[in-house]
Amino acid sequence: MKRIRNFCIIAHIDHGKSTLADRLLQATGTVSDRDLKEQTLDDMDLERERGITIKSHAIQMNHTHEGEEYVLNLIDTPGHVDFSYEVSRAIAACEGALLLVDASQGIEAQTISNLYLAMEHDLEIIPVLNKMDLPSAMPEEVKDEMEELLGCNREDIVAASGKTGAGVDELLEAIINKVPAPKGDPDAPLQALIFDSVFNPFRGVIAYFRVLNGTLTTNDRVKFFHTEKAYHADEIGILRLTPEKRKEVAAGNVGYIISGIKQAKEIEVGDTITHVERPCDKAIEGFEHVKPMVFAGIYPVDTDEYEELRDCMDKLQLNDASLTFEPESSAALGFGFRCGFLGMLHMEIIQERLEREFNMIVITTVPNVSYYAFTSGGEEMIVNNPSDFPDPVHLESVEEPFINAQIITKSDFVGAVMNLCIEKRGIMKNQVYLTSDRVELTFEMPLAEIVFDFYDRLKSISRGYASFDYHPTDYQKSNLIKMDILLNGDQVDALSALIHRDNAHTLGKKICLKLKELIPRQQFEIAIQAAIGAKIISRETVKALRKDVTAKCYGGDITRKRKLLEKQKKGKKRMKQIGSVEIPQEAFLAVLKLD
């Protein structure tokens, strides 16, 4: 155990975590030069295309230092705020963290959020200045920032470059000398934390765990603490680029277990594995549960694929524990699921992964949050979906969830950030200067307002230099109304939204204009209307495709042409009564991307 080191790499998005991980794998000889490719650990097509890490990836490396063989367990984590849950899980399984800072950009939003997360778990932090090879690097200024933030010595900061491989040897030395060896007793009752899991169609569920105490051996009878189900450890091993079988995995180490679990819901990330005969006294604590920010409905395009979609969601949830879902139904779309996501990017990625990994084409509804509605009869209802909203006639009041939002930004952007928060119905509570250049702003605002485009706009106005964190506070009364979208008088419940009365007219107008662009023209005229109750607040018309029925008439009396036009008019009227309007999937997505 003295020669094991467990550490993760944390940083703001695009500060070079995956590239530096590649150099570490290369320097320790874990991956041969032939197998090495850009972002070696990112195994999803989606990650390679977008150049972002979506999943945390664990891998074991061996390194010889001063004649002794060390085992290094590395976890490469995502940088985007929507995947911060992955980072919290990686941190729970480690004793140390490499905090990467881009030498050309300096300390940014997620750098601070992830640093605080690592400090809460008492991790040993090794500051690394990455991208030193860039012509725009400002090593001295950024080192000053890091000293101020971390309170470390200037000599402790390791200068490295993920691209050229400079500084990697010093980094490995720092990991071995500074990251503490794991504590734990290999002879105590087994206590292992599940920090990730994947689904293999041939082997079932594969759980990744970190052993805190005890030793796990092949063919042991194990049980999971929360579900209390017992299994045989058919195969255990360690995580290399491809999993490697081992007879036993002892305290302090990281490994995988295959025990023939076929049902995704039988395993829970954050659960504790222990022996059936000699169980540990209590489960491992300090593992936080996910809090979804955005709720949206996901429906199969073909209603017969509902059960198949359920299986796909179960398997996806294994691989992405921050996804939550429950069944719901809609008049326009049939049966589907109400899902909770950590943000809009997370929602987009889940939709894309369903399409790529499971060939499931799905429709996503407008995202929203949960509300409490009180009727005049004194009844209290939880409203997760706008279609459950009671009729305005019977409605007494509506309460919506409020949050305390903390935004850390540079002092140059304070005015712009304040304007954005006030526009989103926020009330400023506090303003603290952390340093001469960094400000922490605290706002109270409705959760519904941060669901749509708040992150994106915050990042834009602060040039990526703002970190955002929030805590739910309570429910407060609000002047909310339900806005419906009608096509030829028929309501499309998937496009209904609960919004504040002041924003209704502008949003209604925008949605109608967007739908007018996206709905293909039919043989008959289509009226697109936004309505509050029975009151129409906006209307756009998609003109009919017109066939020139009078083309064959030339010369002669005008009544001949009029007769043909009247005949066409009757046909169009009849068509409008029986014709249904297909809404293309882009229309559902475009409504989400409205400013």
Side-chain angles (χ1 to χ4, degrees), residues 209-466:
F209 61 86
R210 153 80 200 273
V211 186
L212 295 189
N213 287 306
T215 305
L216 179 60
T217 319
T218 310
N219 292 329
D220 279 356
R221 289 277 291 159
V222 296
K223 70 169 184 177
F224 296 154
F225 222 88
H226 287 296
T227 55
E228 293 196 337
K229 294 201 171 180
Y231 305 96
H232 253 107
D234 297 338
E235 184 186 311
I236 59 170
I238 55 162
L239 300 159
R240 285 299 178 99
L241 200 56
T242 52
E244 268 182 30
K245 271 192 200 180
R246 289 286 152 96
K247 280 273 183 285
E248 62 172 42
V249 179
N253 219 330
V254 174
Y256 70 91
I257 177 170
I258 299 174
S259 50
I261 305 173
K262 292 284 184 273
Q263 292 293 319
K265 53 174 139 335
E266 287 180 29
I267 193 165
E268 200 178 296
V269 170
D271 204 346
T272 305
I273 306 175
T274 188
H275 280 130
V276 173
E277 281 81 34
R278 193 174 158 223
C280 55
D281 304 333
K282 60 182 198 299
I284 299 162
E285 289 173 8
F287 199 83
E288 56 182 84
H289 272 289
V290 60
K291 52 179 183 194
M293 283 203 188
V294 178
F295 295 92
I298 283 189
Y299 292 86
V301 172
D302 184 352
T303 44
D304 299 344
E305 293 175 349
Y306 173 70
E307 284 302 327
E308 200 180 323
L309 179 61
R310 183 197 291 276
D311 288 346
C312 298
M313 298 286 274
D314 273 337
K315 287 168 189 169
L316 248 187
Q317 194 177 33
L318 262 185
N319 201 244
D320 182 351
S322 49
L323 170 69
T324 57
F325 64 91
E326 56 187 42
E328 73 162 4
S329 61
S330 143
L333 301 170
F335 289 104
F337 296 96
R338 167 110 328 219
C339 305
F341 307 98
L342 296 183
M344 295 297 275
L345 176 70
H346 186 208
M347 179 169 142
E348 205 178 310
I349 295 289
I350 290 289
Q351 192 169 345
E352 193 127 338
R353 284 184 71 184
L354 280 170
E355 279 184 31
R356 289 184 182 211
E357 294 171 29
F358 304 102
N359 294 324
M360 284 296 303
I361 309 292
V362 292
I363 292 173
T364 315
T365 63
V366 182
N368 66 338
V369 297
S370 297
Y371 302 92
Y372 282 120
F374 297 91
T375 60
S376 43
E379 195 184 336
E380 181 183 327
M381 297 168 65
I382 295 178
V383 181
N384 281 327
N385 192 338
S387 57
D388 303 339
F389 199 65
D391 193 326
V393 180
H394 307 299
L395 189 66
E396 182 69 35
S397 62
V398 186
E399 290 185 358
E400 65 174 332
F402 271 67
I403 57 166
N404 251 346
Q406 285 160 318
I407 298 166
I408 300 174
T409 181
K410 269 186 138 178
S411 47
D412 313 3
F413 307 119
V414 170
V417 171
M418 280 185 183
N419 283 343
L420 172 67
C421 293
I422 291 163
E423 182 192 322
K424 296 283 186 186
R425 298 192 282 142
I427 299 165
M428 187 161 172
K429 294 289 183 191
N430 201 0
Q431 178 178 358
V432 182
Y433 275 80
L434 303 172
T435 67
S436 57
D437 196 28
R438 313 183 57 75
V439 193
E440 183 182 47
L441 303 168
T442 309
F443 279 88
E444 183 182 59
M445 57 202 296
L447 180 60
E449 293 289 345
I450 66 162
V451 161
F452 267 115
D453 53 353
F454 183 77
Y455 273 143
D456 304 339
R457 288 184 58 191
L458 182 66
K459 288 274 182 271
S460 303
I461 60 175
S462 63
R463 297 187 198 152
Y465 210 120

Side-chain angles (χ1 to χ4, degrees), residues 549-550 552-566:
V549 288
T550 59
K552 57 181 183 241
C553 290
Y554 47 92
D557 195 348
I558 185 70
T559 51
R560 288 179 62 204
K561 284 189 178 180
R562 195 159 289 150
K563 184 178 155 193
L564 287 169
L565 288 169
E566 283 299 324

Side-chain angles (χ1 to χ4, degrees), residues 102-105 130-139 161 163-164:
D102 185 331
S104 62
Q105 295 182 40
N130 197 20
K131 303 197 184 181
M132 288 292 284
D133 58 307
L134 289 181
S136 57
M138 314 173 291
S161 163
K163 198 172 226 175
T164 62

Side-chain angles (χ1 to χ4, degrees), residues 471-484:
H471 305 284
T473 51
D474 55 356
Y475 279 76
Q476 296 180 17
K477 279 190 181 174
S478 276
N479 188 6
L480 294 175
I481 46 154
K482 178 185 170 195
M483 185 177 75
D484 295 316

